[in-house]
Amino acid sequence: DSGVTQTPKHLITATGQRVTLRCSPRSGDLSVYWYQQSLDQGLQFLIQYYNGEERAKGNILERFSAQQFPDLHSELNLSSLELGDSALYFCASKGVENAEAFFGQGTRLTVV
Amino acid sequence: GENVEQHPSTLSVQEGDSAVIKCTYSDSASNYFPWYKQELGKRPQLIIDIRSNVGEKKDQRIAVTLNKTAKHFSLHITETQPEDSAVYFCAASRSGAGSYQLTFGKGTKLSVIP
C-alpha cells in the first residue's frame, strides 16, 4: 500500500459523458501529479498541483481539468468523453526535495 | 520543459543474463533520476533512484549510473530472474522547495526468458 488512494478503481461510461476521478495523497505530501496510461503506452503527464496551486501542465486536453482542494486531495474531471480517453489514470504524490513519488493504484476508465 | 528518451522499448534476455536500459534527458537542471518498475495491471513502484551528486548507486542486483556531462543515465540488472519481467520507466526531475514536474521516459518492456 503506497498510501495514495484513488477512487473509483474502475469506471465504465458512455461517450459524451463527464466523470470525476479522485486522489488522496499520502499524509504530508503537498504535490499531486496526474498521469494517463493508455494500453501498452507510457506514463503521459497531465498536470501537477502543489499545495493547492497548479504547478505544471503537460499534454492535458481542454476537455480535462483538475484541482487540488485545501485538504490536499485532488480531482481530475474528464468531460465530453471519447473512446480514445479509455485508459488507466494514475495519481502520484510527492513530498519535498527529492522524495520518492508514490503512485496510487489507478482508475481504469472505459468509455463505450 | 524536460524531455526524457528511453531505449530500448522492448528487451528480452535469458534468465541469468544482464539487462541494461538507457535514458537521456534534456534539462541540465534536472538532478533527481528515479527508476520505476510496473508489473502488469499494477501501479509503478520505485526500485532505485540517483541524485546528481553521485555517479553510481547499487542495490543488490540493481545499479544505476549517471553521466551528467552527457545527460544520460542507465539501469543495470544483473542475474536476471523471471520476476524481473515488467515495464521499467526512467524519470527526471529538478529538486528544491515547491517540487517540480516528474517526467517519464516511454518505458522498456523487459522479458526474462526462463
Side-chain angles (χ1 to χ4, degrees), chain A residues 1-2 31 33 35 37 41-45 48 50 55-57 88 90 94-105 108, chain B residues 31-32 36 38 40-46 49 51 87 89 93-107 109:
Chain A
D1 183 8
S2 66
S31 272
Y33 302 78
Y35 292 89
Q37 187 174 43
Q41 296 294 310
L43 293 159
Q44 191 83 331
F45 171 69
Q48 177 200 355
Y50 177 78
R55 189 67 188 227
K57 222 169 188 176
L88 250 180
F90 283 106
K94 190 170 181 286
V96 296
E97 298 294 333
N98 286 340
E100 174 183 351
F102 291 85
F103 281 79
Q105 289 189 314
R108 182 169 292 283
Chain B
N31 54 10
Y32 175 63
Y36 284 79
Q38 186 180 26
L40 192 62
K42 297 191 176 181
R43 62 187 170 89
Q45 290 189 272
L46 182 77
D49 57 12
R51 300 174 189 189
V87 178
F89 293 97
S93 173
R94 297 185 186 187
S95 66
S99 196
Y100 292 90
Q101 180 176 335
L102 187 60
T103 303
F104 285 87
K106 291 191 182 302
K109 185 174 183 179

Side-chain angles (χ1 to χ4, degrees), chain A residues 30-31 49-55 67-70 72-73:
Chain A
L30 300 180
S31 272
Y49 280 85
Y50 177 78
N51 202 19
E53 295 190 1
E54 183 183 304
R55 189 67 188 227
Q67 54 184 324
Q68 186 179 28
F69 295 86
L72 301 179
H73 91 271

Side-chain angles (χ1 to χ4, degrees), chain B residues 43-110:
Chain B
R43 62 187 170 89
Q45 290 189 272
L46 182 77
I47 54 170
I48 195 168
D49 57 12
I50 192 168
R51 300 174 189 189
S52 60
N53 58 345
V54 175
E56 184 174 357
K57 184 176 179 180
K58 193 172 180 180
D59 183 4
Q60 299 183 336
R61 297 185 298 109
I62 294 173
V64 58
T65 58
L66 171 65
N67 184 326
K68 281 215 77 179
T69 303
K71 289 193 278 190
H72 69 69
F73 56 113
S74 301
L75 177 71
H76 304 252
I77 306 174
T78 59
E79 300 170 22
T80 53
Q81 301 168 3
E83 51 265 38
D84 294 330
S85 296
V87 178
Y88 292 82
F89 293 97
C90 63
S93 173
R94 297 185 186 187
S95 66
S99 196
Y100 292 90
Q101 180 176 335
L102 187 60
T103 303
F104 285 87
K106 291 191 182 302
T108 296
K109 185 174 183 179
L110 174 64

Side-chain angles (χ1 to χ4, degrees), chain A residues 12 24 26-27 29 32 39 41 62 65 69-70 85 92 101 110:
Chain A
I12 301 175
S24 294
R26 291 191 327 147
S27 177
D29 285 356
V32 170
L39 193 63
Q41 296 294 310
E62 283 192 15
S65 64
F69 295 86
D85 297 326
T110 303

